Amino acid sequence: MSTKVRTAKSLALTVLRPVEPGYLILYVNNVCNLRCHMCLVWDQMQVKTNDLSLTEHVELSKSFRNLLQLTVTGGEPLLREDVPHIVHAYYAHSGLAKCTLVTNATYPDKTERCVQEIFNLCPDLDLSVNVSIDGPPEVHEQVRGVKGCFEKTARSLDRLIEMRRRRKNMIINVTSVISKMNWQYLDELYEFIRQRFDVDQHAFLLARGRTKDADAKEVPLKAYRWMERLLAREDGRSEHYLSLPMRALSRAMRSIVARTAHTNEFVIPCVAGGQFIEIFSDGEVVPCEIIEEKRDPYLGNVRDFDLDILKLLHSPKAIEMRDFIKRTKCRCTFECALYASLAFNPVQYPRVLARTFS
């Protein structure tokens, strides 16, 4: 099945099945070699976990019938050697169309080898590699807490960019998390990435959740507004076939983030807990990673539901969570959840369409 057909089929089926995940954020481990000051899962990485095995991922993947987007993260996912085979499980059994690998890319050999093996196993997969850079070299290393990490990340990016020249279904993005530590360097960071790396997109995310430094999320309004302007420059960079719809989604999403962040306005219904979910490395399922600020987020462990995500999502606790999200008009600035809420709700398509050429 071609890449485009996979994408269209998974999107259509997800729209028609509101309690089946079409977007999964999967934490494959909870260990990392960096010590980021704005990390939102830093406390979880202090606890040893019994991570899902590859065999368990294969079984779990069979219960996802129409997975449009899989985002593989951690910890640092490349510290786990079987990541390509985990991705392949969802590609083989879940109709997976798009995968994003989130990495600090501080292991050049592992980064190149992992990406190459994913393509060997999943030739028709749209793969985005999102590499984290949070400032010019000195600032990046201050934010990430480890000296010398920037040079390793740069070497990985250079190799990935060379690899992309041979693959039409590969996207390379730089993602910058904006926090109290680096918002002053937005212009310098943007120009540095633009001149140094030939990436498809440079994305900015706001620090969120329960950060390692309690004040990391303190970013002034003027910095966010300027970040929006920089992001607008990125919209036409990629020539990938999904660049136009993704540009429209990004613009619509940024508008919602701005309204929610600065007025706490409810703009669109959230699909977290149904079409969008997250699974931690030990099998615990949450509707999203930041709802913990409002209530107990845990819906259950897939191991207690025979590694069947649909059984878990039809449990009383999961049903009650979706009701809570709807009843309280739950809202936030979490970009991934907003993307899903726009993409999987046809009522929102006029909003997205209006942003296509704006």
Side-chain angles (χ1 to χ4, degrees):
M1 187 184 300
S2 74
T3 305
K4 294 180 181 179
V5 172
R6 275 180 173 267
T7 300
K9 180 181 177 181
S10 295
L11 176 60
L13 291 175
T14 300
V15 168
L16 294 171
R17 298 168 176 170
V19 191
E20 290 197 24
Y23 194 140
L24 168 63
I25 295 181
L26 182 66
Y27 293 78
V28 295
N29 60 11
N30 72 335
V31 294
C32 188
N33 58 315
L34 301 185
R35 298 294 179 265
C36 306
H37 292 275
M38 75 304 181
C39 181
L40 78 161
V41 292
W42 63 275
D43 54 342
Q44 298 173 28
M45 289 190 285
Q46 313 305 312
V47 180
K48 184 176 177 58
T49 56
N50 178 20
D51 294 342
L52 294 172
S53 67
L54 175 58
T55 300
E56 288 175 311
H57 274 293
V58 170
E59 191 61 31
L60 176 61
S61 71
K62 296 175 183 177
S63 66
F64 287 83
R65 296 191 297 176
N66 44 275
L67 194 58
L68 174 65
Q69 170 69 38
L70 171 68
T71 297
V72 177
T73 186
E76 168 47 50
L78 295 187
L79 291 174
R80 180 162 177 163
E81 296 293 337
D82 59 358
V83 164
H85 294 279
I86 292 174
V87 173
H88 177 255
Y90 291 89
Y91 175 82
H93 300 294
S94 307
L96 179 63
K98 291 169 50 56
C99 179
T100 299
L101 176 65
V102 181
T103 176
N104 61 45
T106 51
Y107 298 96
D109 292 340
K110 281 187 177 182
T111 302
E112 185 177 23
R113 185 168 62 248
C114 177
V115 171
Q116 184 60 60
E117 190 168 0
I118 290 174
F119 278 123
N120 290 344
L121 294 169
C122 315
D124 294 322
L125 182 66
D126 257 329
L127 179 65
S128 297
V129 185
N130 286 11
V131 177
S132 305
I133 297 181
D134 296 319
E138 313 78 29
V139 176
H140 175 77
E141 293 186 1
Q142 290 174 4
V143 172
R144 294 279 160 171
V146 174
K147 290 184 178 181
C149 64
F150 178 84
E151 188 274 334
K152 296 175 182 177
T153 296
R155 278 197 285 140
S156 292
L157 263 174
D158 288 337
R159 294 189 189 185
L160 292 171
I161 290 166
E162 180 59 33
M163 186 185 300
R164 185 196 54 192
R165 302 185 198 283
R166 305 187 298 273
R167 295 199 172 272
K168 293 182 179 180
N169 53 332
M170 181 179 181
I171 295 175
I172 304 171
N173 300 322
V174 165
T175 301
S176 302
V177 178
I178 304 306
S179 67
K180 184 178 181 178
M181 298 186 67
N182 64 351
W183 68 261
Q184 306 94 329
Y185 303 95
L186 279 172
D187 275 323
E188 187 178 349
L189 169 59
Y190 178 80
E191 288 300 325
F192 175 77
I193 297 299
R194 186 180 67 83
Q195 295 177 24
R196 174 64 179 81
F197 300 108
D198 180 23
V199 297
D200 292 282
Q201 186 176 33
H202 184 185
F204 295 90
L205 305 176
L206 287 174
R208 62 180 182 268
R210 194 172 58 210
T211 52
K212 182 179 179 183
D213 287 7
D215 61 351
K217 293 183 287 185
E218 294 180 6
V219 178
L221 175 58
K222 64 178 182 180
Y224 184 78
R225 294 300 187 192
W226 188 243
M227 184 173 73
E228 284 186 294
R229 295 187 183 97
L230 294 177
L231 284 165
R233 299 180 192 175
E234 291 294 297
D235 285 339
R237 181 184 289 196
S238 176
E239 297 181 357
H240 191 270
Y241 77 96
L242 287 174
S243 62
L244 183 60
M246 289 306 298
R247 178 173 68 198
L249 279 172
S250 295
R251 289 178 173 179
M253 180 273 295
R254 292 200 295 267
S255 173
I256 296 170
V257 168
R259 291 166 63 181
T260 304
H262 304 302
T263 67
N264 195 32
E265 179 182 358
F266 173 77
V267 183
I268 63 172
C270 184
V271 299
Q275 291 160 312
F276 175 90
I277 61 167
E278 304 192 36
I279 301 179
F280 292 126
S281 61
D282 60 355
E284 291 288 340
V285 179
V286 296
C288 79
E289 62 201 32
I290 61 176
I291 202 170
E292 188 174 9
E293 299 173 354
K294 301 180 180 181
R295 59 168 291 169
D296 175 16
Y298 293 98
L299 304 181
N301 193 297
V302 293
R303 285 173 169 142
D304 297 328
F305 290 85
D306 303 317
L307 295 169
D308 187 329
I309 194 61
L310 296 183
K311 283 186 180 180
L312 188 152
L313 292 180
H314 284 88
S315 69
K317 192 168 185 180
I319 293 170
E320 197 281 325
M321 175 64 84
R322 290 193 294 275
D323 179 67
F324 169 83
I325 291 171
K326 181 179 179 180
R327 185 178 69 252
T328 62
K329 295 184 176 180
C330 193
R331 53 201 178 272
C332 66
T333 60
F334 182 18
E335 293 87 353
C336 296
L338 288 170
Y339 271 125
S341 297
L342 287 166
F344 300 150
N345 186 352
V347 174
Q348 300 299 324
Y349 290 177
R351 181 196 299 273
V352 176
L353 186 62
R355 295 281 178 171
T356 302
F357 301 104
S358 64

